Amino acid sequence: MKIKILLGIAFWSLLLLAGCNRDDISFDAPSQLLRFSTDTVFCDTVYNQMRSETYAVKVYNNENKDVLIPRIALEGGSGSLYRINVDGKVGTSFENVALRKKDSLYVFVEIAPIAYAPEAIAEDKVVFNTPAGEQKVTLFSVVQDAEYFIKTDTNPNIISENTTWTNNKAKIIFGDLTIAEGKTLTMEQGTKVYFRKNSGMNFAKKSILDVKGALGEEVIFRGDRSDTKYDTLPANWNGIKMEEGSLLNMNYARVFGGNVGLQLKKNTATINNSIFHTFQSVGVYGIHSKLIMNNVVMNNCGEADLAIAAGGDYTLNYCTIANYWNLNPSMSALGIYASDIWENENGEPEIGDFKLNVNNSIIYGDTPDMISINKSNGNVLAFEYEFRNSLLKFTSNSGLTIGNTNTANEDPKFQNYFTQKMNLRVKADSPARGKGVGTNNVTAIDIVGNPRNGLLTIGAYQ
């Protein structure tokens, strides 16, 4: 027992001595400039009274001595929209910050602004004052005014009247937002709709979603983390669900970064001049619905860009259906998956008549068979599909019947199919050029407003 007591006394004595030694460390004024991991912090776009994620600036002491930084402060002072954290303390100004030789420390940055305009720039600087000179790291963010739709135990988050959204405020949705049966939600050009993780929109029976975007003023649906790195990441939000008998009219929209972008269920939809990309599962999922798509671009969806179940009536005109998904190689990454059967909510199979028409379109990507069309055993209902004047990628094992007006298995030569800089226009020597035949009232111009005349290029871009 005495030995244990003596060992304990010795142990605590060593700790006390170590503590005394740390207190004896002397810190000098820096004689060299500090070094930073970056000279500018581009913060995520943030919304009125909503805190951003935290960003870090690493500060390096390259000297062979311990230094004391006299002052680290926000140039905007206490009125700044930003806050910094230095050595575990939050504020706007810090004095005599210790930094060991050849070591580094983190300055953490975040912003929680109040918006005084629909969109504004928030800028400030972190100032480092030392005898070697004054140094600054610039902080930069876009601030948007916002309107919040938050589902809670006491708020079911339901729009129960006909409503129009404009672009004066971003719409931020927490949880599910439901549009009540028979009601219409109109979105004017330039409207931005952002979703928190695991959030989405549900349109009840006989409701209407009318998306009225314009070229250069598209309506945006995406996750609420708008740092550019999230542009190419899926599963940031759930998606939009349209129930039986609902109606969708969508023109000039960009929908990206979720689980399933749009789910149609026994309803009618028209989508024009829109882009769907980067979804964990499917871009557009139709269950026995009637869908017309003109000048639509799709890319980078784990299971399929367009998935069809329980049949329905689907028409694609001048669409570019690409899929270069590379986040999980076990996923099918199809352009189109179609089946006449579906297992409903009760676990019962439903079979529907099936009609698919693809005209003047490109369906191409990394998967050998970009199209999978499946007819269930014993189906006595109508089952029809036809491809005309399209460029398609498939193998002899696909079982597809492809007419002689189509181009098979030739690289369309996209400008850039990587989603970071996605440009699915085709190059001058693309086999898609000159293969188009005829237009309708929407496809007389392409997705970016170019007229289609003379030799027509298939896909969404002339």
Side-chain angles (χ1 to χ4, degrees):
M1 179 63 69
K2 289 183 178 180
I3 294 175
K4 289 183 179 180
I5 293 172
L6 291 172
L7 287 173
I9 292 171
F11 173 77
W12 289 109
S13 298
L14 286 171
L15 284 181
L16 289 170
L17 287 172
C20 293
N21 289 337
R22 282 199 299 269
D23 292 338
D24 291 340
I25 295 173
S26 61
F27 291 88
D28 298 328
S31 54
Q32 298 179 16
L33 292 175
L34 301 167
R35 184 167 64 87
F36 308 112
S37 57
T38 181
D39 60 4
T40 304
V41 178
F42 293 98
C43 296
D44 197 354
T45 296
V46 290
Y47 315 107
N48 184 32
Q49 300 183 17
M50 185 173 174
R51 190 174 298 279
S52 73
E53 66 178 274
T54 302
Y55 297 81
V57 178
K58 204 169 185 180
V59 184
Y60 298 91
N61 173 17
N62 289 333
E63 298 191 61
N64 196 29
K65 64 178 181 179
D66 302 318
V67 300
L68 205 62
I69 303 170
R71 187 168 180 264
I72 301 175
L74 285 168
E75 189 172 64
S78 59
S80 175
L81 297 178
Y82 294 88
R83 289 295 179 268
I84 55 177
N85 182 312
V86 178
D87 200 21
K89 299 176 182 178
V90 178
T92 59
S93 181
F94 305 85
E95 295 182 354
N96 298 323
V97 179
L99 182 54
R100 299 291 300 272
K101 62 183 178 182
K102 303 298 183 182
D103 203 352
S104 61
L105 64 84
Y106 282 101
V107 175
F108 295 101
V109 178
E110 57 186 27
I111 178 173
I114 296 175
Y116 297 101
E119 188 167 278
I121 302 300
E123 186 175 357
D124 203 345
K125 294 179 173 64
V126 183
V127 181
F128 297 80
N129 296 114
T130 72
E134 183 178 85
Q135 296 173 269
K136 297 181 180 181
V137 172
T138 299
L139 311 178
F140 185 91
S141 181
V142 176
V143 180
Q144 291 187 10
D145 200 358
E147 183 177 3
Y148 295 92
F149 299 84
I150 303 172
K151 184 177 181 179
T152 66
D153 292 339
T154 57
N155 176 26
N157 213 21
I158 297 174
I159 293 178
S160 55
E161 301 294 336
N162 294 337
T163 301
T164 297
W165 285 354
T166 64
N167 63 4
N168 65 327
K169 292 185 179 182
K171 315 302 177 184
I172 315 295
I173 297 174
F174 289 69
D176 287 330
L177 173 64
T178 298
I179 289 69
E181 182 171 348
K183 301 306 177 183
T184 298
L185 176 60
T186 302
M187 299 183 184
E188 299 291 353
Q189 63 186 47
T191 301
K192 296 180 175 67
V193 187
Y194 301 124
F195 299 84
R196 294 291 280 179
K197 189 82 169 178
N198 301 318
S199 300
M201 298 186 78
N202 297 326
F203 286 79
K205 293 180 179 181
K206 300 180 182 179
S207 63
I208 298 173
L209 172 58
D210 192 7
V211 177
K212 295 182 174 181
L215 181 60
E217 289 287 336
E218 292 82 2
V219 174
I220 305 297
F221 300 86
R222 61 165 299 157
D224 70 331
R225 300 263 54 115
S226 53
D227 191 303
T228 54
K229 70 182 179 183
Y230 291 97
D231 292 353
T232 57
L233 294 176
N236 294 304
W237 58 291
N238 286 345
I240 304 166
K241 291 184 178 181
M242 309 289 296
E243 291 298 330
E244 186 172 351
S246 60
L247 176 67
L248 169 67
N249 290 309
M250 177 179 283
N251 190 35
Y252 281 107
R254 288 193 62 194
V255 190
F256 60 98
N259 291 321
V260 175
L262 172 66
Q263 179 177 299
L264 308 171
K265 183 182 177 185
K266 300 179 181 180
N267 64 317
T268 301
T270 301
I271 304 174
N272 298 326
N273 305 306
S274 297
I275 298 175
F276 291 76
H277 71 86
T278 314
F279 286 95
Q280 182 69 24
S281 182
V282 176
V284 176
Y285 178 34
I287 301 169
H288 198 71
S289 294
K290 183 174 182 179
L291 169 64
I292 298 173
M293 299 200 305
N294 299 294
N295 291 340
V296 171
V297 174
M298 307 184 80
N299 188 18
N300 202 35
C301 299
E303 298 293 348
D305 291 335
L306 172 63
I308 297 167
D313 189 345
Y314 300 82
T315 301
L316 281 63
N317 299 309
Y318 284 98
C319 293
T320 297
I321 312 296
N323 204 342
Y324 292 92
W325 172 269
N326 61 1
L327 298 178
N328 184 342
S330 67
M331 303 184 82
S332 53
L334 297 172
I336 296 178
Y337 172 85
S339 173
D340 61 356
I341 194 169
W342 172 62
E343 187 176 283
N344 64 26
E345 293 87 348
N346 299 320
E348 302 164 344
E350 291 187 18
I351 298 176
D353 56 313
F354 178 91
K355 186 176 182 180
L356 172 65
N357 287 297
V358 178
N359 309 303
N360 299 303
S361 296
I362 298 172
I363 305 175
Y364 202 85
D366 282 335
T367 303
D369 280 309
M370 287 294 295
I371 306 164
S372 177
I373 297 179
N374 304 281
K375 181 179 181 181
S376 58
N377 293 330
N379 182 8
V380 296
L381 301 174
F383 190 94
E384 304 171 11
Y385 66 88
E386 187 171 6
F387 299 89
R388 303 182 191 92
N389 314 308
S390 295
L391 189 157
L392 311 170
K393 185 178 181 183
F394 61 96
T395 70
S396 58
N397 297 324
S398 66
L400 293 178
T401 301
I402 303 296
N404 57 15
T405 66
N406 299 293
T407 300
N409 300 314
E410 291 191 38
D411 188 338
K413 298 183 180 179
F414 294 125
Q415 296 279 355
N416 188 336
Y417 58 77
F418 294 105
T419 50
Q420 289 87 341
K421 297 182 179 179
M422 189 173 71
N423 180 357
L424 294 181
R425 297 170 176 83
V426 296
K427 297 177 181 178
D429 60 343
S430 168
R433 293 196 176 273
K435 301 291 178 62
V437 177
T439 60
N440 60 31
N441 62 330
V442 177
T443 59
I445 61 171
D446 74 356
I447 190 173
V448 290
N450 295 319
R452 284 195 170 100
N453 49 40
L455 295 176
L456 305 181
T457 301
I458 62 177
Y461 299 94
Q462 170 62 13

